[in-house]
Amino acid sequence: MIFVAAGLLLSPEGLDFVSVSSNSTLILNIAELALILTLFSDASKIELQALLSEEKLPGRLLIIGMPLTIAFGAIVAALFLKDITLAEAGLIGAMLSPTDAGLGQAILNNTKVPAKIRQTLNVESGLNDGGAIPFFLFFLILTRGEALKWPVGTLIVLAFEQIGIGMLVGAVIGLAGGWLSTKAVRVGWMSGLYRKIGFMSLAIISWLVADLIGGSGFIAAFTAGLITQAGGKIKTAEEEIILTEAEGNILSCAVFFIFGITVSARIFTISWPIFIYSVLSLTLIRMLPVAISLIGIKLHSETVLFLGWFGPRGLASVVLLLTAMEETGGIGGNETLSLAVITTVFLSVFVQGATADPGSEWYSRIVAKLPTDSPERKKVGESSISSYDVDVKNSLNNSEDR
């Protein structure tokens, strides 16, 4: 919220201190690197077995909820935004499906909120950006192919090539690089800061190699992160992840600052259909799939509402939009597409960011009144992401004490 506001204030439309172009290759590279590091670090903190545990809440949101969110988002976009194609509607749905845990830190840090619910939101936000990218690539290639009149078969082959090559590169680099890094640490060839740098380099290498041979760098980085965690003896340590995540967070702040500058130049061009779509994207388009995915879990309606509302849009949506603009150029409904994503993220940053703290307090009071045997209050172990976050805070506190 602060960095977006700073971008608005210092933009040419504000105090005119800073001027940047969202079409700059440098800006795109910074944004992509921020997402690459975030995808890699988030994936490397997830234990895949935990994803399907604890009554499968995160798995339901990812496997059922996210595809439904993309489908609902595409359908509503096609109905409300008249000057876009079906492929572009699908692209909007895919770009606005990933959630950003950064805006909901007040929830994740509030121990009054049941561990199961915090864990669910944390794991979902850690994995759904990677899960949305295959859909994004598919609709992006369809959008380009429609303009260039490519055969449908060719488009499908290209989409699967990018996804498949990206997964293969990520798997190879994650497995081999993780093993080599672990071996180097064990024999004393690498320690301290270089261990952290070595881990972060796996994300960047997988991104560059996949992009070089025609695969998706985003898919490669996400897969590499998963493999380093799931590779048996290759166990990712907290001290290795912390630098990668910190660098990703720093670059994310830069992206939100640039986003604020971009919004300032376009905020007065937002039409009512786009504004209404953005409101629906943050409410019904997210809440209905969440409710459907949780059928049978016997959660209370307030819990379903809480999980549905706190799906803020942020870094992933912004970076995917920049990538789409770079790839599609002046195709079709680009202006409508970009305004829909910009408006939704802008509203999400301030509305959902501002309601995170009071919302978590409201929900904690609701939960306190529920019976002790209710699903929400069932004791669970924290997921790898949650326990990692606690470890990071303890490490930072210890560093400050020293």
Side-chain angles (χ1 to χ4, degrees):
M1 292 169 66
I2 291 173
F3 277 87
V4 173
L8 288 167
L9 180 63
L10 301 178
S11 68
E13 286 71 22
L15 299 178
D16 198 15
F17 284 173
V18 181
S19 177
V20 296
S21 171
S22 59
N23 296 323
S24 166
T25 301
L26 176 61
I27 297 301
L28 177 61
N29 289 338
I30 291 173
E32 286 183 337
L33 183 56
L35 182 56
I36 289 296
L37 296 179
T38 300
L39 287 168
F40 184 82
S41 61
D42 283 349
S44 65
K45 291 182 291 181
I46 291 290
E47 293 181 3
L48 295 181
Q49 292 180 348
L51 180 61
L52 299 178
S53 66
E54 315 304 353
E55 298 190 11
K56 304 181 180 179
L57 289 183
R60 281 173 170 258
L61 290 178
L62 291 165
I63 298 171
I64 302 173
M66 190 184 68
L68 285 177
T69 301
I70 294 173
F72 285 9
I75 292 169
V76 177
L79 293 174
F80 271 82
L81 311 176
K82 299 299 184 182
D83 56 342
I84 61 173
T85 65
L86 289 177
E88 289 168 339
L91 195 55
I92 292 174
M95 288 190 291
L96 290 175
S97 62
T99 59
D100 190 333
L103 294 174
Q105 283 300 313
I107 297 169
L108 303 181
N109 296 336
N110 190 342
T111 55
K112 297 177 185 177
V113 177
K116 175 187 290 188
I117 304 305
R118 288 184 286 122
Q119 171 181 306
T120 297
L121 289 172
N122 211 358
V123 174
E124 182 203 14
S125 64
L127 287 180
N128 65 4
D129 43 8
I133 288 173
F135 295 96
F136 166 76
L137 291 174
F138 179 76
F139 287 116
L140 178 61
I141 290 173
L142 282 184
T143 299
R144 293 176 59 196
E146 281 184 350
L148 299 174
K149 299 185 178 355
W150 290 348
V152 175
T154 301
L155 300 178
I156 294 174
V157 170
L158 284 174
F160 278 98
E161 277 184 358
Q162 284 206 16
I163 296 169
I165 292 173
M167 292 179 66
L168 179 62
V169 169
V172 171
I173 292 177
L175 190 61
W179 183 85
L180 288 171
S181 177
T182 303
K183 189 72 173 177
V185 170
R186 286 175 180 170
V187 299
W189 292 348
M190 184 169 63
S191 63
L193 177 62
Y194 292 98
R195 182 176 179 179
K196 301 179 182 69
I197 294 174
F199 182 77
M200 183 170 65
S201 70
L202 297 180
I204 300 173
I205 291 170
S206 59
W207 170 36
L208 295 176
V209 172
D211 190 63
L212 182 66
I213 63 177
S216 167
F218 296 134
I219 295 287
F222 185 74
T223 305
L226 284 176
I227 293 297
T228 58
Q229 182 60 265
K233 295 181 180 179
I234 306 171
K235 187 67 174 177
T236 304
E238 167 264 322
E239 64 181 70
E240 293 176 329
I241 300 174
I242 191 169
L243 178 63
T244 304
E245 187 171 52
E247 293 296 332
N249 287 338
I250 291 170
L251 292 174
S252 297
C253 290
V255 171
F256 279 115
F257 177 74
I258 295 165
F259 176 72
I261 296 175
T262 302
V263 169
S264 67
R266 312 179 78 168
I267 194 168
F268 296 109
T269 64
I270 298 171
S271 63
W272 278 109
I274 288 175
F275 181 80
I276 293 172
Y277 176 80
S278 299
V279 172
L280 291 174
S281 180
L282 298 177
T283 52
L284 293 179
I285 292 174
R286 157 79 180 178
M287 290 176 174
L288 284 178
V290 167
I292 293 171
S293 69
L294 298 178
I295 291 175
I297 299 294
K298 298 181 180 179
L299 295 173
H300 288 72
S301 57
E302 292 88 352
T303 299
V304 176
L305 178 64
F306 185 77
L307 290 171
W309 171 245
F310 286 108
R313 314 311 195 276
L315 175 67
S317 297
V318 173
V319 177
L320 295 180
L321 173 62
L322 291 175
T323 303
M325 294 301 98
E326 173 75 11
E327 293 290 331
T328 59
I331 289 175
N334 257 2
E335 182 64 19
T336 299
L337 184 149
S338 62
L339 277 177
V341 175
I342 288 171
T343 306
T344 304
V345 174
F346 181 71
L347 289 177
S348 180
V349 166
F350 287 99
V351 177
Q352 292 178 316
T355 57
D357 191 32
S360 62
E361 289 296 324
W362 166 80
Y363 179 65
S364 65
R365 290 193 296 270
I366 296 292
V367 171
K369 298 176 183 178
L370 296 177
T372 55
D373 60 346
S374 62
E376 290 87 347
R377 299 186 67 177
K378 180 182 176 182
K379 298 293 183 182
V380 296
E382 295 285 355
S383 69
S384 56
I385 277 190
S386 299
S387 61
Y388 166 76
D389 290 340
V390 173
D391 290 341
V392 170
K393 291 173 189 172
N394 291 337
S395 300
L396 293 175
N397 290 336
N398 293 335
S399 298
E400 291 173 356
D401 292 341
R402 287 195 295 271

